[in-house]
Amino acid sequence: MSDRLKVLPQYLMPKMAMTRLAGHYASQPLGGITTATIRRFVARYGVNMAEAAEPDIAAYKTFNDFFTRALKPGARPMADAPLVCPVDGAISQVGRVQGDQVYQAKGQAFSTTALVGGDAQLAARFQDGLFANLYLSPKDYHRIHMPAAGRLVRMVHVPGALFSVNPTTARGVPGLFARNERVVCVFDDDALGRWVLVLVGATIVGSMATVWHGRIKRGGPVREWDYAPGEVTLAQGDEMGRFLLGSTVVMLFENSGLQFNPAWRPGGSIRMGESMAR
């Protein structure tokens, strides 16, 4: 069966209703029900609780508390590199932007302009630059960290679809990462220039949040927030946001002479803090 046929049911599913219901359930302190749900989740997906700052499953009052759990200090050492991996997960695709086209999967691509919410002037800065699409599976650590230092310039919330972002869907849904709901975070850095980190929403992802704003409210029109110079400045490795259930991060960098870690290949597993580029 082709990937397009496999994802066809997703076009018919009430994705927003399912996501809102899951988000509501995950935020409720339900005592033994919450603990049993987390226990089943850990067993099914092989979550490594030994590296969690709080390894006791019963200590989490809500499923969201568990899902956005912190790690023990030192669990993810930071590499000495100009870019470090911002998440635990797997490499969906990584490479160079071809004009304004970002490779999504075999036969699929999307434009940088669509990804960032229609800002052609911003997108033009990334022509022939670097991109990385990184997938977070349900078992992964779901806090997102800074791949490099950055001064926040703008944040844009772009409402959109809520398709799954797993590899099969990436192959079967055209322009997936630029049609799903997303939060576009635009940064400046003295060494890298302007760069973008995009949090991509998905089915059952209860919400997305940043450390400077909190949870991003769903629905409504495209919304933008501008930030004064120095208002929000984050160091490499700092936490910048989180997903409530698995999704994807897309990053765009200007053509600054950096090269991705040669060991990075589509499908390869990654851990937050490892060397991403040199």
Side-chain angles (χ1 to χ4, degrees):
M1 181 185 297
S2 73
D3 291 318
R4 291 206 174 191
L5 286 176
K6 288 178 183 177
V7 302
L8 184 59
Q10 291 192 47
Y11 286 89
L12 307 176
M13 290 164 50
K15 295 182 285 295
M16 179 59 78
M18 292 169 58
T19 299
R20 290 188 185 278
L21 180 62
H24 174 75
Y25 172 76
S27 67
Q28 300 302 306
L30 301 175
I33 295 175
T34 295
T35 300
T37 300
I38 295 171
R39 201 176 302 281
R40 286 195 296 271
F41 188 95
V42 168
R44 177 179 178 182
Y45 291 105
V47 178
N48 181 8
M49 293 302 294
E51 65 182 13
E54 176 51 81
D56 181 7
I57 289 172
Y60 295 98
K61 293 185 178 180
T62 70
F63 187 82
N64 282 342
D65 290 344
F66 153 73
F67 204 80
T68 58
R69 62 195 177 277
L71 297 178
K72 289 179 178 177
R76 296 291 185 275
M78 292 292 118
D80 181 11
L83 292 177
V84 297
C85 184
V87 295
D88 284 6
I91 300 167
S92 178
Q93 296 293 336
V94 63
R96 191 163 295 280
V97 180
Q98 301 297 318
D100 73 337
Q101 293 293 297
V102 175
Y103 185 66
Q104 176 175 299
K106 185 177 181 180
Q108 306 290 359
F110 56 89
S111 78
T112 52
T113 301
L115 178 70
V116 301
D119 187 339
Q121 186 174 1
L122 172 62
R125 301 181 71 132
F126 306 111
Q127 286 192 7
D128 304 316
L130 298 178
F131 78 89
N133 308 334
L134 309 180
Y135 170 64
L136 289 74
S137 73
K139 71 176 182 180
D140 291 319
Y141 169 64
H142 274 77
R143 298 190 184 192
I144 306 159
H145 294 253
M146 293 286 283
R151 298 179 296 275
L152 184 66
V153 175
R154 187 188 318 150
M155 182 173 76
V156 185
H157 174 242
V158 187
L162 289 172
F163 288 98
S164 169
V165 291
N166 62 36
T168 299
T169 311
R171 294 189 299 268
V173 175
L176 173 64
F177 302 136
R179 69 191 294 176
N180 267 16
E181 177 190 27
R182 53 208 179 277
V183 176
V184 181
C185 304
V186 184
F187 294 94
D188 271 340
D189 176 68
D190 293 338
L192 295 175
R194 187 149 292 189
W195 59 275
V196 167
L197 190 152
V198 182
L199 286 66
V200 181
T203 312
I204 312 299
V205 176
S207 65
M208 297 175 283
T210 63
V211 297
W212 58 84
H213 182 91
R215 291 193 186 186
I216 310 299
K217 185 178 179 181
R218 284 206 146 103
V222 173
R223 290 173 292 157
E224 295 190 21
W225 296 263
D226 292 317
Y227 298 87
E231 184 177 351
V232 179
T233 299
L234 298 171
Q236 185 181 57
D238 284 353
E239 181 186 344
M240 61 77 60
R242 58 185 66 177
F243 287 116
L244 279 73
L245 286 182
S247 196
T248 285
V249 163
V250 178
M251 289 175 288
L252 302 175
F253 299 96
E254 293 184 11
N255 187 0
S256 62
L258 288 179
Q259 294 182 336
F260 278 124
N261 183 340
W264 276 35
R265 295 286 186 273
S269 62
I270 49 175
R271 281 164 66 93
M272 191 274 287
E274 71 178 43
S275 175
M276 179 176 169
R278 61 187 185 186

